């Protein structure tokens, strides 16, 4: 070896490390690095991967790829992770993720897009336009990519390329042989095949249509195998659909043609700490497999040396030419469908082992495994800590709770976290959200066309047609929104703040699977065409509303359509992917309030019933909240109704019918037409929507399409008013306004709508009927609670004692509850004999009973009641059970042996809290009705409260009558008829009589003028009071019954609203903040102080 002289002499020492290159068919394979270990005084530990051989150590490692070891110009195998409109996200080895812009797919595809944007094609040329990325690729598809930049842009992303000119840049036509595999793009379409874009210079490549079942399009990427090489052209053939992408050459291929993603045979030669070492082909090429790329069934096998198995090439390190493979060779697209969703909490994750990367867990009962990285574990500790002592908690077979953060399809492994904050987050991922769900979102960023929001840990966007601009949109402001679209791949959601979608009664279309003819859903108009409207529903579902002359008349009834309008649309027809819509037909005016026999055709869980009315030859719907007046009973009644069963319903609105309101419309003189409504009429309404301060009511009337809006302060007890959709509210009409848009102004005050106690008894009768309906259905379904009846005597064992209540086990999985006086006399495990059932709760499947002998003796077993019990006699009663709807009492010291049921509240508008109490205290009641063998009564104190209310009404009316003076005051000319009659006497002369008559005429005129002036003053003061409380409308607005307005203003001046907002004169508007007086029912006036007379 030649020596080199230096300035101060000496010889250049030998390098400790030499790279011996061996050429094998153009491939360069680096031999194992060898060096001699220097002796050390302290001694040194040999690495576990180092193998001793005559004093030399060979380093063999199967380390994973990291961002530090990743270099540009590196070729990698990749799997499609997510597909977006303008880019792809690819999963890379080492749990890395890269982005492929749409311009880096292929030159042919980019040229096709460019020509499409430059040329204006007609509708006939739609098929010639390039496909979008979603049509070209699929999740889990294997690709072969090149790294362009590993820290690209502001987000420092890994920029990748699929361009054949990039990924095949190192391949020369001279090294291609039959059986080699290339990733190419379709450049031109011919009759018998395709010319390919390969990126290889000075060669034309042709792909035959043989083995191709489907036509390929310009720019599409496809794996091809070299079939024949000639001087002018290289012929390729495509792989069949299920054929593996495998190199099929006679000789060992060139290293440059060992493309990532192709299948090879891996011969295992040695076990390493972090993986396996093996040989490819004839043994001249060494490859490594990291432990994360080894399936569980192979990793647990102890006899691996010498075994051959299929492997897939991942990448080749550029400097060392070391080849890395994966033993996961299954179809990645199939594995993707069965993964655990992002954000899933795994409570019983079992530790398999610890590695340098972190802790590997077994998730569930299958073969799924998860990785908890060391970095994630370390982030849970802020102060100084020992990582080794922390890792002791993750000993093999220990159980932990973790949450799935991501899935790596290459490793077939889930990336997990144990961060406590993330474990307790309610909205962690998109799978925690539901289409149509109302949530509270926080503004994070202002965008050009909307806002970026956060809902827990989920990113959300409020933009486009779903965005209604708001004035307060500062960062950190919270908004009430509804989830409209969910993108699980991108892990983002689209929400809306349009008021039409935020209503409680909004009908949401969640998926195409719920599309049914004649069903109606809420949608928004996002485009108007000359011949149709385009309507957008939730979850990317679109429909078409064709324009017609009939439609124009229907649009007038709903106020017209424009972009951004949220309306109810009916599914008219479904043709393939096209959904044809129509405007739902209103129930004909003559049918509102009419009762029909119907047949149940379908049960809609959570929504109600679909029915068919033979008389009308049409389908309809019974909403869930229209099944019972008691909101808690609706779900249970829906669960026991069966298809093909018959029932009575009443028409109330837009193809909607009600089961619960049938009894109300059986009454006589029920107002069902707007034209018949008069002030002081009491109408039955339903809650359409509600918020913190306002209530919107729907009133089923003919010729009336609007709603009645009320402020909650209009109720007598606004602090206790809690209303839900569909709940019943009565209103007293103050005034009505007839114009193009009819409107009603009303008050829900209890002293205005509480006419008598019949409403309370009707409400109780309906509740008891629904309870009986549920209990009778339980008997047919053989439920345990169906075997019992009220009044029956039962035995049981005391299971628990809570306060003065004892819990008794009556039957298997059936319990009873009762209140006792001397609770210390009862012990857990004691037996209870001959207790009487006083109530059966079908909601909680619970029996309520009494153990008091005094009460039991007065309760008959059969509960037969006699009609002679109904009278005005006052009875002493003991309260045995009560809830929000009914109070159950027993009569003490009377011949009445049946339980008496008393309403817990006196009216639908009675929101005052109940003051019922169980115990020995007696209350007086009067039995009013006998309904289906059940006695209904009213407490005396409730009857007195109603009597006080009547006295208050009478006094108010008297005050109104005293202050109400008619405008028609008698004139002075007509006073002759009312002059005192003069009697003629013989002693009086004619002159005296004439003088006396003149004096009387003058006095009468003066008195009449004084009365007229006083009347004008009183009327003027009342009119001024009216002008201050309401806004007078101009241009011929019509008010019905002005006298009633006068009466109402004296009693309650602040219940009015503006009569016509569009026609108000700005000069006549006066601001007035009225306060409605609360009801004084049952309250005594404070005594007046005694004033000492002087």
């Amino acid at each position: 070896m030649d020596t080199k002289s230096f300035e101060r002499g000496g010889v250049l020492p030998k390098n400790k490390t030499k790279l011996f290159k061996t050429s094998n068919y153009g491939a360069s394979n680096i031999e194992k690095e060898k060096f001699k270990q220097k002796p050390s005084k302290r001694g040194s530990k040999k690495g576990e991967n180092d193998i001793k051989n005559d004093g030399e150590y060979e380093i063999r490692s199967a380390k994973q790829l990291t961002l530090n070891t990743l270099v540009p110009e590196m070729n990698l195998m990749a799997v499609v992770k997510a597909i977006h409109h303008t880019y792809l996200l690819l999963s890379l080895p080492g749990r890395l993720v890269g982005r492929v812009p749409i311009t880096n797919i292929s030159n042919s595809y980019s040229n096709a897009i460019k020509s499409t944007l430059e040329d204006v094609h007609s509708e006939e040329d739609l098929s010639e336009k390039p496909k979008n990325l979603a049509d070209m690729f699929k999740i889990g598809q294997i690709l072969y990519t090149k790294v362009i930049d590993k820290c690209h842009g502001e987000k420092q992303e890994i920029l990748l390329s699929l361009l054949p000119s990039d990924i095949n840049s190192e391949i020369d036509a001279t090294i291609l042989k039959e059986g080699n595999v290339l990733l190419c793009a379709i450049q031109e379409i011919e009759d018998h095949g395709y010319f390919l874009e390969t990126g290889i210079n000075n060669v034309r490549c042709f792909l035959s249509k043989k083995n191709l079942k489907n036509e390929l399009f310009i720019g599409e990427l496809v794996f091809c195998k070299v079939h024949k090489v000639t001087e002018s052209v290289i012929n390729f053939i495509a792989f069949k659909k299920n054929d593996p992408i495998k190199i099929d050459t006679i000789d060992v291929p060139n290293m440059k043609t060992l493309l990532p993603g192709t299948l090879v045979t891996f011969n295992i030669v040695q076990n390493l700490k972090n993986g396996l070492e093996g040989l490819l082909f004839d043994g001249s090429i060494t490859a490594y497999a990291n432990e994360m790329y080894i399936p569980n069934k192979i990793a647990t096998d102890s006899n691996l040396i010498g075994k051959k198995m299929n492997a897939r090439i991942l990448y080749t390190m550029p400097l060392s030419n070391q080849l890395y493979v994966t033993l996961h060779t299954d179809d990645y697209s199939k594995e993707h469908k069965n993964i655990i969703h992002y954000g899933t909490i795994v409570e019983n994750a079992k530790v398999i082992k610890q590695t340098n990367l972190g802790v590997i867990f077994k998730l569930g009962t299958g073969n799924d495994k998860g990785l908890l990285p060391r970095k994630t574990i370390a982030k849970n500790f802020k102060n100084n800590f020992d990582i080794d002592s922390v890792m002791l908690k993750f000993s093999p077979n220990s159980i932990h709770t973790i949450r799935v953060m991501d899935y790596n399809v290459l490793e077939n492994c889930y990336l997990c976290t144990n961060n406590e904050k993330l474990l307790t987050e309610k909205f962690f991922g998109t799978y925690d959200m539901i289409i149509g769900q109302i949530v509270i979102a926080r503004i994070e960023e202002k965008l050009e066309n909307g806002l970026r929001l956060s809902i827990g840990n989920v990113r959300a966007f409020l933009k486009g047609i779903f965005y209604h601009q708001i004035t307060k949109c500062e960062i950190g402001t919270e908004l009430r929104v509804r989830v409209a679209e969910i993108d699980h791949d991108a892990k983002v959601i689209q929400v809306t703040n349009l008021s039409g979608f935020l209503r409680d009664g909004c009908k949401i279309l969640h998926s195409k699977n719920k599309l049914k003819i004649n069903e109606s859903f809420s949608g928004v108009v996002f485009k108007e065409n000359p011949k149709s409207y385009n309507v957008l529903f939730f979850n990317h579902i679109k429909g078409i509303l064709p324009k017609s002359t009939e439609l124009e008349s229907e649009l007038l009834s709903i106020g017209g359509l424009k972009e951004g309008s949220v309306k109810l649309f009916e599914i008219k027809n479904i043709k393939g992917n096209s959904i044809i819509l129509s405007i739902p037909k209103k129930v004909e005016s003559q049918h509102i309030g009419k009762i029909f026999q119907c047949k149940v055709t379908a049960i809609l869980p959570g929504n109600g019933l679909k029915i068919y009315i033979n008389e009308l030859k049409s389908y309809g719907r019974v909403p869930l909240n229209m099944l019972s007046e008691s909101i808690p009973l609706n779900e249970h009644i829906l669960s026991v109704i069966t298809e093909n069963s018959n029932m009575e319903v009443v028409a109330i609105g837009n193809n909607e019918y009600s089961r619960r309101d049938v009894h109300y419309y059986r009454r006589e003189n029920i107002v069902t037409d707007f034209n018949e409504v008069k002030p002081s009429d009491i109408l039955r309404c339903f809650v359409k929507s509600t918020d913190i301060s306002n209530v919107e009511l729907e009133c089923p009337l003919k010729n009336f399409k609007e709603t009645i809006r009320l402020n909650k302060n209009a109720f007598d007890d606004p602090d206790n008013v809690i209303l839900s959709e569909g709940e019943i509210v009565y209103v007293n009409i103050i005034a009505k306004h007839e114009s193009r848009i009819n409107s009603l102004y009303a008050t829900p005050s209890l002293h205005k709508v509480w006419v008598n106690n019949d409403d309370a008894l009707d409400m109780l009768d309906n509740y008891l009927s629904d309870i009986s309906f549920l209990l009778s259905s339980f008997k047919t379904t053989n439920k345990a609670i169906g075997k019992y009846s009220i009044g029956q005597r039962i035995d049981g064992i005391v299971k628990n004692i809570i306060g003065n209540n004892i819990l008794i086990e009556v039957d298997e999985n059936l319990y009873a509850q009762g209140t006792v006086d001397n609770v210390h006399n009862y012990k857990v495990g004691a037996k209870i004999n001959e207790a009487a059932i006083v109530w059966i709760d079908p909601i909680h499947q619970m029996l309520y009973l009494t153990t008091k002998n005094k009460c039991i003796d007065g309760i008959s077993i059969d509960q037969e009641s006699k009609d002679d019990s109904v009278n005005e006699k006052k009875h002493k009663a003991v309260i045995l059970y009560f809830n929000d709807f009914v109070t159950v009492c027993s009569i003490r010291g009377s011949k009445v042996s049946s339980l008496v049921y008393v309403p817990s509240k006196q009216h639908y508008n009675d929101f005052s809290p109940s003051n019922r109490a169980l115990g020995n205290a007696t209350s007086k009641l009067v039995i009013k009705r006998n309904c289906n063998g059940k006695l209904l009564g009213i407490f005396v104190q409730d009857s007195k409260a109603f009597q006080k209310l009547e006295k208050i009404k009478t006094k108010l009316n008297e005050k109104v009558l005293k202050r109400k003076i008619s405008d028609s005051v008698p004139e002075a000319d007509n006073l002759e008829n009312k002059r005192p009659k003069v009697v003629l006497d013989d002693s009086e002369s004619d002159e005296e009589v004439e003088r006396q008559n003149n004096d009387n005429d003058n006095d009468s005129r003066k008195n009449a003028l004084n009365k007229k002036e006083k009347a004008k003053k009183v009327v003027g003061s009342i009119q001024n009071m009216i002008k201050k409380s309401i806004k007078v409308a101009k241009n011929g607005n019509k008010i019905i019954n002005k006298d009633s307005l006068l009466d109402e203003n004296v009693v309650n001046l602040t219940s009015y609203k503006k009569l016509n907002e569009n026609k108000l004169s700005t000069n006549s508007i006066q601001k007035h903040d009225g306060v409605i007086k609360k009801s004084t029912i049952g309250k005594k006036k404070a005594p007046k102080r005694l004033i000492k007379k002087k």
Side-chain angles (χ1 to χ4, degrees), residues 88-312:
L88 298 175
L89 286 182
L90 304 184
S91 293
L92 305 176
R95 298 189 303 280
L96 301 176
V97 178
R99 178 192 289 254
V100 181
I102 194 172
T103 54
N104 285 6
I105 302 298
S106 67
N107 291 328
S108 303
Y109 185 66
S110 300
N111 294 334
I113 294 176
K114 185 178 179 180
S115 61
T116 303
L117 296 176
E118 291 177 353
D119 301 335
V120 180
H121 293 286
S122 62
E123 295 182 357
E124 298 177 356
D125 298 328
L126 290 176
S127 60
E128 298 180 4
K129 292 184 178 181
K131 303 291 184 181
N132 53 38
L133 296 182
D135 296 331
M136 293 177 63
F137 302 95
K138 64 178 181 179
I139 303 297
Q141 181 178 348
I142 298 173
L143 294 174
Y144 163 37
T145 184
K146 172 168 279 191
V147 179
I148 304 300
D149 187 4
K150 68 176 185 179
C151 296
H152 181 73
E154 297 179 358
K155 297 183 179 180
Q156 299 293 299
E157 295 176 317
I158 301 175
L159 181 63
L160 304 174
S161 175
L162 297 175
L163 294 170
S165 57
D166 288 335
I167 60 178
N168 299 328
S169 60
E170 297 182 3
I171 299 176
D172 189 79
T174 58
I175 64 174
L176 286 178
K177 297 183 178 182
E178 294 182 5
N180 287 136
V181 178
L182 287 181
L183 182 61
C184 310
I186 303 300
Q187 187 175 19
E188 296 179 13
I189 302 177
E190 300 292 338
D191 294 337
H192 302 289
Y194 309 88
F195 280 105
L196 301 176
E197 175 191 344
T198 61
I200 302 174
N201 297 327
N202 303 322
V203 66
R204 286 175 63 85
C205 300
F206 184 80
L207 173 64
S208 174
K209 288 187 177 180
K210 187 179 180 181
N211 296 336
L212 291 176
K213 292 184 178 180
N214 299 324
E215 290 287 334
L216 303 178
F217 49 87
I218 299 295
E220 184 175 0
L221 295 177
V222 59
F223 276 100
C224 302
K225 183 167 59 175
V226 177
H227 178 62
K228 187 178 181 181
V229 180
T230 63
E231 295 181 358
S232 60
V233 73
I234 300 176
N235 290 324
F236 287 83
I237 59 173
F239 288 94
K240 291 183 179 180
K241 186 176 181 180
N242 297 323
D243 283 355
I245 304 172
K246 189 173 183 180
I247 300 175
D248 188 15
T249 58
I250 300 174
D251 301 324
V252 177
N254 190 297
M255 284 289 290
K256 295 181 180 180
T257 60
L258 288 177
L259 302 185
T262 55
L263 286 174
V264 293
T265 301
F266 184 73
N267 186 9
I268 300 174
V269 296
Q270 189 170 354
N271 275 319
L272 303 178
K273 179 183 177 181
N274 53 1
L276 296 173
E277 179 185 357
L279 299 175
L280 306 182
F281 302 103
D282 62 350
S284 60
I285 299 177
T286 304
Y288 299 93
N290 184 268
E291 59 186 341
M292 298 304 295
Y293 302 105
I294 302 174
N296 293 334
K297 59 183 179 180
I298 299 177
T300 56
D301 192 353
S302 58
N303 299 320
L304 292 175
I305 308 301
K307 288 190 175 181
K308 294 182 179 181
M309 51 190 61
N310 289 330
R312 202 182 291 273

Side-chain angles (χ1 to χ4, degrees), residues 791-814:
Q792 184 179 345
R793 301 322 193 243
I794 59 172
D795 303 332
I797 304 297
V798 178
K799 285 295 181 181
N800 197 1
I801 300 175
I802 303 174
N804 292 330
N805 294 317
I806 58 174
L807 185 66
I808 302 171
E809 185 179 15
V810 179
D811 202 343
E812 185 177 0
N813 298 326
L814 182 63

Side-chain angles (χ1 to χ4, degrees), residues 553-758:
S553 60
E554 293 176 351
L555 293 180
L556 292 175
S557 64
I558 61 174
L561 285 180
K562 62 180 180 179
E563 290 187 10
S565 298
V566 179
K567 300 294 182 181
L568 204 63
F569 298 94
E570 184 178 289
I571 308 298
K572 185 177 181 180
N573 195 5
I574 301 174
K575 296 180 180 179
N577 294 327
S578 300
I579 303 173
I580 309 302
L581 306 174
S582 64
I583 299 297
K585 293 182 179 180
K586 298 284 184 180
V587 176
E588 295 182 9
S589 58
Q590 66 267 22
H591 293 329
I592 289 183
K594 188 176 180 181
I595 299 173
F596 298 96
Q597 281 285 342
C598 74
K599 182 179 180 181
V600 179
T601 58
I603 309 295
L604 309 175
N607 292 320
L609 303 173
K610 185 178 180 181
I611 59 174
Y612 179 76
I613 301 174
N614 190 33
E615 183 177 344
L616 301 178
K617 304 296 181 184
S618 66
Y619 289 89
R621 177 175 170 266
V622 180
L624 180 65
N625 48 36
M626 294 295 173
L627 293 176
S628 173
E629 291 183 354
S630 172
I631 301 298
L633 295 181
N634 284 324
E635 288 283 356
H636 300 275
I637 292 178
L638 180 65
S639 63
V640 299
I641 293 178
T642 58
E643 291 187 10
N644 300 321
S645 59
N646 297 318
M647 66 173 64
E648 284 187 330
V649 292
V650 59
I652 58 170
N654 179 20
N655 286 338
E656 290 188 352
Y657 299 83
S658 173
R659 171 186 176 270
R660 70 178 188 186
D661 298 299
V662 172
H663 73 282
Y664 173 78
Y665 285 96
R666 287 192 189 280
R667 299 180 184 177
E668 297 180 356
N669 302 323
I670 297 296
V671 179
T672 59
D673 194 337
F674 176 81
N675 298 326
E676 299 175 359
V677 175
K678 298 177 296 183
S680 74
D681 282 347
I682 298 175
L683 301 181
R684 181 182 175 106
C685 303
F686 317 131
V687 176
K688 184 176 182 180
S689 63
T690 180
D691 54 26
I692 299 176
S693 58
N694 299 308
V695 179
E696 185 178 9
L697 302 179
E698 192 170 7
C699 188
L701 290 173
K702 304 170 186 176
N703 305 313
F704 184 65
K705 301 169 184 176
E706 301 302 312
T707 57
I708 299 176
R709 296 180 179 270
L710 300 174
N711 190 287
K712 284 190 177 179
N713 290 328
F715 292 87
D716 290 337
D717 196 2
D719 295 335
N720 293 320
V721 174
I722 301 176
L723 294 170
S724 57
E725 182 189 352
E727 198 163 344
I728 298 172
V729 174
Y730 279 77
V731 295
N732 188 300
I733 301 302
I734 297 174
K736 78 173 183 177
H737 180 228
E738 294 183 61
S739 65
R740 184 177 62 86
I741 301 177
N742 296 330
S743 54
L744 292 173
Y745 309 104
T747 173
S749 179
L750 185 59
H751 73 272
K752 284 292 182 181
V753 297
W754 191 7
V755 179
N756 51 47
N757 289 319
D758 289 341

Side-chain angles (χ1 to χ4, degrees), residues 761-807:
L761 295 175
D762 290 341
M763 183 169 52
L764 177 60
D765 186 17
N766 297 331
Y767 177 73
L768 295 177
S769 299
D770 290 338
I771 293 293
S772 300
F773 176 75
L774 288 174
L775 294 179
S776 61
S777 66
F778 291 157
K779 293 180 180 179
T780 58
T781 55
N782 297 324
K783 286 191 175 183
I785 196 173
K787 299 186 296 184
Y788 298 91
S789 59
I790 294 177
Q792 184 179 345
R793 301 322 193 243
I794 59 172
D795 303 332
I797 304 297
V798 178
K799 285 295 181 181
N800 197 1
I801 300 175
I802 303 174
N804 292 330
N805 294 317
I806 58 174
L807 185 66

Side-chain angles (χ1 to χ4, degrees), residues 430 433-437 439 441 447 449-453 455 458-468 481-488 490-498 536-540:
T430 55
M433 316 294 289
I434 302 173
I435 294 289
Q437 183 179 9
V439 294
L447 306 175
N449 60 342
L451 302 171
R452 182 174 66 84
L453 313 173
I455 306 171
V458 181
R459 288 188 304 142
F461 290 94
L462 178 60
K463 58 183 181 180
I465 194 65
F466 287 118
Y467 177 45
H468 174 67
V481 295
R482 192 186 286 270
V483 180
E485 298 171 356
I486 299 178
D487 189 345
H488 294 298
K491 299 177 183 177
V492 297
I493 65 173
Q494 168 77 36
V495 297
T496 178
N497 67 335
L498 296 176
L536 179 63
F537 300 96
F538 284 6
N539 205 10
H540 306 281

